[in-house]
Amino acid sequence: DAGITQSPRYKITETGRQVTLMCHQTWSHSYMFWYRQDLGHGLRLIYYSAAADITDKGEVPDGYVVSRSKTENFPLTLESATRSQTSVYFCASGVGGSSYNEQFFGPGTRLTVL
Amino acid sequence: SQQGEEDPQALSIQEGENATMNCSYKTSINNLQWYRQNSGRGLVHLILIRSNEREKHSGRLRVTLDTSKKSSSLLITASRAADTASYFCATANYNQGGKLIFGQGTELSVKP
């Protein structure tokens, strides 16, 4: 089915471990985004990508790494997880550009770092 | 820092009543969008209003934008229990590419 999917949906890990969250979209949207959602902070942009092989930092990029070798995939890696990275992570995609940038969100990944 | 700030943070109404949520922002924008999030789910786009528009309708939704006051409001008329969700405004400035900046949201509870 067309859409945007995230995996895993739930993840529990330990401090210091590397974790990769996957995001896949079938619309061939140019733009893809990673957000984290925390109580009291709303949605904050971690990284985004305007096209394959083009990525840029958002508001809270420290401790995260992204790559985008294919248009449809945008994995987010926590290189050494910390407790402060416990959050719900949302991937989104969109046409982007200068005229119309509605974003389509995945279902989220709930990450707990112990 | 968050661009949008929403008011109220929480709103509880009875079915059939209207719900109004407000969003204020700080810098110039090209468009403002409203999203809805049901508990445990991702956000869903509701409506987009461009900076040169003042009002827009979509079904039971009415959005207004006042760029001089840097504020927007979302009105849901004849609310239903199924409207219970969190509602977020998000602003876009094309100079910042495809990025949106989200507010912290209004939690709406519609009691049957």
Side-chain angles (χ1 to χ4, degrees), chain B residues 38-50:
Chain B
N38 288 86
S39 181
R41 310 288 290 271
L43 279 72
V44 175
H45 181 264
L46 293 176
I47 195 166
L48 179 153
I49 186 166
R50 292 186 169 78

Side-chain angles (χ1 to χ4, degrees), chain B residues 42-60:
Chain B
L43 279 72
V44 175
H45 181 264
L46 293 176
I47 195 166
L48 179 153
I49 186 166
R50 292 186 169 78
S51 59
N52 61 353
E53 298 175 312
R54 292 295 166 259
E55 188 170 314
K56 205 161 183 182
H57 296 256
S58 177
R60 293 184 296 113

Side-chain angles (χ1 to χ4, degrees), chain B residues 3-4 11 20 25 28 45 56 68 78 80 92 96 98 108 110:
Chain B
Q3 163 82 309
L11 179 61
T20 299
Y25 56 92
S28 63
H45 181 264
K56 205 161 183 182
S68 66
R80 305 166 182 168
Q96 297 176 13
L108 174 65
V110 182

Side-chain angles (χ1 to χ4, degrees), chain B residues 21-93:
Chain B
M21 289 160 268
N22 302 296
C23 170
S24 61
Y25 56 92
K26 298 174 183 174
T27 61
S28 63
I29 64 171
N30 291 102
N31 72 53
L32 185 144
Q33 304 176 31
W34 285 90
Y35 287 79
R36 162 186 167 144
Q37 183 181 34
N38 288 86
S39 181
R41 310 288 290 271
L43 279 72
V44 175
H45 181 264
L46 293 176
I47 195 166
L48 179 153
I49 186 166
R50 292 186 169 78
S51 59
N52 61 353
E53 298 175 312
R54 292 295 166 259
E55 188 170 314
K56 205 161 183 182
H57 296 256
S58 177
R60 293 184 296 113
L61 305 180
R62 173 179 168 251
V63 170
T64 61
L65 179 64
D66 186 335
T67 53
S68 66
K69 295 181 179 178
K70 292 187 169 57
S71 68
S72 174
S73 67
L74 171 68
L75 169 66
I76 304 174
T77 59
S79 63
R80 305 166 182 168
D83 294 327
T84 295
S86 292
Y87 292 82
F88 294 86
C89 69
T91 56
N93 184 312

Side-chain angles (χ1 to χ4, degrees), chain A residues 63-110:
Chain A
Y64 303 94
V65 174
V66 293
S67 62
R68 193 164 176 211
S69 57
K70 293 184 178 181
T71 300
E72 61 267 30
N73 296 324
F74 191 38
L76 175 74
T77 298
L78 288 66
E79 293 189 300
S80 178
T82 64
R83 290 194 180 124
S84 65
Q85 293 177 310
T86 292
S87 186
V88 181
Y89 291 85
F90 288 99
C91 178
S93 71
V95 173
S98 61
S99 60
Y100 181 69
N101 51 356
E102 168 189 353
Q103 292 183 14
F104 298 84
F105 282 77
T109 294
R110 184 174 293 274

